[in-house]
Amino acid sequence: MSPQFIIDASFIAAAFLFIYGLKRMSSPVTARSGIVVAGWGMLVAVLASFLYYFGVTEAAKPHLLGNAAVALIALVLGVSWAWWSGKKVAMTAMPQMVALYNGMGGGSAAAIAAMVLLQPVPADGAAGHGLVHYLVTVLGGLIGAVSLSGSLIAWAKLDERIKGTWRYTGLQAVNGAVMLLTLAIGGYIVFAMHGHAPPMVVVGFFAAALVFGVFMTMPIGGADMPVVISLYNAFTGLAVGAEGYVLQNPALMIAGMVVGSAGTLLTLLMAKAMNRSVSNVIFSNFGVTGDEAQGEIKGSMKPVEAGDAGIQMRYGSKVIIAPGYGLAVAQAQHKLYEFVKLCEAQGVEVKFAIHPVAGRMPGHMNVLLAEAGVPYDIIFDMEDINGEFKEADFALVIGANDTVNPAARTNKSSPIYGMPILNVDQAKQAFVVKRGQGKGYSGVENELFFKDNTNMVYGDAQKVLVSMIQAVKSLEGGGH
């Protein structure tokens, strides 16, 4: 068999593993094995790339050997850093890591595009590749560069290295002008220079694309970060697919198209879950503090001791738990499941309700609960469980805020109006575990906290749950 045949077969095998792995990721039960399968696919694709050395002429081998050495160094560095950071990263920082990896994928696609565009004009004066080839190259480079810089800003926002948003008059006009400038330079490279523009023009194109990614992401509020991460995931996939076409690499094309389409569908589903369009996420002022429009909220916050709340839930018949980012921050998922098992042992029916944008990235809460060993059959998506809140004796909110705010249903002046929420306020009694009286990630006051049927349990989620567990165990120890 020729080296080229082995390369092509390996790329097809890698593409199959990517698709099969992604399929298994669609279920929490098989998600872990799906990641492993996709990882094997990536290993096959990387190793197959080195087989190109055996398919070139003897004269070209010294040059290709140098490239292979550089690739090996990059591979060792990348694997080492990824292994170390993957082992070290906390669950609370998982969204930041995903944002960084999105950016790296986009940056890689942009680097491929830059390499193609910076190649010298053929010595014989031939035009080289066709118009479509360079058009796809430029589009992939544009999308990849935007994903790179935008993902870095998303990471900095999630990691609280950048606080606040850019808001000023004429913002959208400035962003539009930067985008038009980028497209104009890209069009000049493709249609006027036939893919062989001077290096400074190519550098200007990528610089403008990177600036646009920054300008596009900086104004977006924190509450929209899950959608933004998903959007840049789709961008990265599309960019990789485009550059796979440029390199005539079937593994990159298939993997890019799969990731791009999956990311696009997820972005649309998440935007739908917030009752908004993707363009509204990117170009609106959502995420800005809405106090001036929200008006005064009637009622008061009513605190209760953690032990008392735990005892009440232990004597309930049905409890629904709504987790949020605060649960991840406190790393309290294991204590939460311990409390759940104590309640279940007393005949209490316990279920989890997951909002599509709970946490800081898609699926954040599902991963958190899976880490604690919570059975999948008691974890439900919002649309599957929302109708059950009115039957629940208690709803327990841990670290969630905007996703349980009734203002989204009732207050047309609220920035989150129209966003579907978990119907926690419809439970007979709601307990909200919260570190303090601060507002949610969107900066909007939560009307749930002031409801007559809501009590606040202040404190770190882990400490609160420890108190609940001790209170319930004391009942058992006392013969109750």
Side-chain angles (χ1 to χ4, degrees):
M1 290 185 293
S2 67
Q4 188 59 50
F5 176 82
I6 298 175
I7 291 171
D8 292 341
S10 298
F11 285 157
I12 296 298
F16 170 77
L17 291 172
F18 291 151
I19 296 172
Y20 182 61
L22 187 63
K23 169 64 179 174
R24 293 188 68 79
M25 289 180 210
S26 63
S27 169
V29 179
T30 58
R32 185 185 295 272
S33 63
I35 294 172
V36 173
V37 169
W40 279 109
M42 181 59 69
L43 179 63
V44 170
V46 170
L47 293 179
S49 301
F50 288 93
L51 295 177
Y52 279 111
Y53 174 80
F54 300 100
V56 299
T57 63
E58 290 299 324
K61 281 187 176 181
H63 174 70
L64 197 60
L65 188 62
N67 289 345
V70 173
L72 277 173
I73 294 172
L75 189 62
V76 170
L77 291 175
V79 169
S80 301
W81 181 82
W83 185 271
W84 175 80
S85 61
K87 286 282 190 181
K88 179 176 178 291
V89 67
M91 185 58 64
T92 51
M94 197 64 68
Q96 291 94 303
M97 188 182 75
V98 171
L100 279 178
Y101 284 177
N102 280 345
M104 289 178 185
S108 298
I112 293 172
M115 177 195 71
V116 173
L117 295 175
L118 290 172
Q119 286 180 347
V121 179
D124 57 4
H129 295 287
L131 180 67
V132 174
H133 177 90
Y134 289 115
L135 180 60
V136 173
T137 301
V138 167
L139 287 176
L142 169 62
I143 298 170
V146 170
S147 177
L148 171 60
S149 58
S151 295
L152 289 176
I153 296 299
W155 163 78
K157 281 174 169 281
L158 290 168
D159 211 45
E160 297 186 348
R161 296 172 186 251
I162 295 179
K163 298 182 179 180
T165 56
W166 282 356
R167 298 290 179 187
Y168 55 85
T169 304
L171 171 66
Q172 294 183 11
V174 171
N175 288 359
V178 174
M179 184 61 181
L180 288 175
L181 174 63
T182 308
L183 292 174
I185 300 174
Y188 173 76
I189 293 172
V190 174
F191 298 105
M193 303 302 295
H194 305 290
H196 295 290
M200 289 307 297
V201 175
V202 176
V203 170
F205 167 74
F206 283 105
L210 290 170
V211 169
F212 178 72
V214 173
F215 281 18
M216 186 178 85
T217 313
M218 277 300 298
I220 300 176
D224 279 331
M225 277 302 115
V227 182
V228 172
I229 291 175
S230 180
L231 179 65
Y232 284 138
N233 181 47
F235 277 10
T236 295
L238 294 172
V240 169
E243 300 311 327
Y245 169 83
V246 171
L247 297 179
Q248 292 297 291
N249 186 313
L252 282 180
M253 282 189 280
I254 295 173
M257 287 186 288
V258 169
V259 173
S261 58
T264 300
L265 287 173
L266 180 60
T267 303
L268 293 174
L269 287 172
M270 294 182 69
K272 181 181 178 181
M274 299 174 72
N275 197 31
R276 303 169 61 222
S277 66
V278 176
S279 62
N280 189 247
V281 170
I282 298 174
F283 299 115
S284 77
N285 288 337
F286 186 80
V288 181
T289 302
D291 292 347
E292 66 279 358
Q294 196 169 5
E296 184 179 354
I297 299 177
K298 297 180 180 179
S300 61
M301 295 186 187
K302 300 169 287 297
V304 67
E305 292 298 321
D308 294 338
I311 291 172
Q312 289 186 57
M313 285 185 282
R314 176 247 189 258
Y315 284 109
S317 61
K318 184 170 186 176
V319 175
I320 299 179
I321 301 173
Y325 185 65
L327 179 66
V329 170
Q331 299 183 36
Q333 61 270 26
H334 295 281
K335 289 298 179 183
L336 175 59
Y337 186 39
E338 184 180 347
F339 175 71
V340 168
K341 287 187 288 187
L342 285 175
C343 291
E344 288 179 331
Q346 301 302 320
V348 182
E349 180 186 9
V350 182
K351 294 183 176 181
F352 286 84
I354 308 298
H355 192 282
V357 294
R360 294 293 187 267
M361 71 176 184
H364 194 183
M365 293 299 103
N366 301 77
V367 174
L368 195 72
L369 296 177
E371 184 190 34
V374 178
Y376 303 121
D377 58 359
I378 66 172
I379 302 174
F380 297 87
D381 292 332
M382 177 180 68
E383 61 269 20
D384 297 324
I385 199 172
N386 241 1
E388 297 187 30
F389 275 99
K390 58 181 178 293
E391 305 167 0
D393 296 300
F394 299 99
L396 175 62
V397 179
I398 305 183
N401 204 316
D402 302 312
T403 57
V404 297
N405 190 345
R409 279 199 240 102
T410 60
N411 190 345
K412 293 184 178 180
S413 63
S414 173
I416 64 171
Y417 178 72
M419 183 181 85
I421 60 166
L422 294 170
N423 296 333
V424 170
D425 59 316
Q426 296 179 6
K428 296 180 180 67
Q429 177 69 40
F431 293 116
V432 178
V433 178
K434 192 170 172 58
R435 286 171 292 181
Q437 298 187 8
K439 300 169 185 175
Y441 206 28
S442 69
V444 179
E445 193 74 79
N446 196 329
E447 294 182 4
L448 173 69
F449 302 163
F450 299 84
K451 294 282 185 180
D452 293 336
N453 63 334
T454 298
N455 286 103
M456 307 298 295
V457 185
Y458 292 117
D460 175 81
Q462 176 123 210
K463 295 179 180 178
V464 166
L465 287 165
V466 168
S467 297
M468 289 184 178
I469 291 168
Q470 290 173 345
V472 173
K473 285 184 174 180
S474 68
L475 289 177
E476 298 171 2
H480 290 269

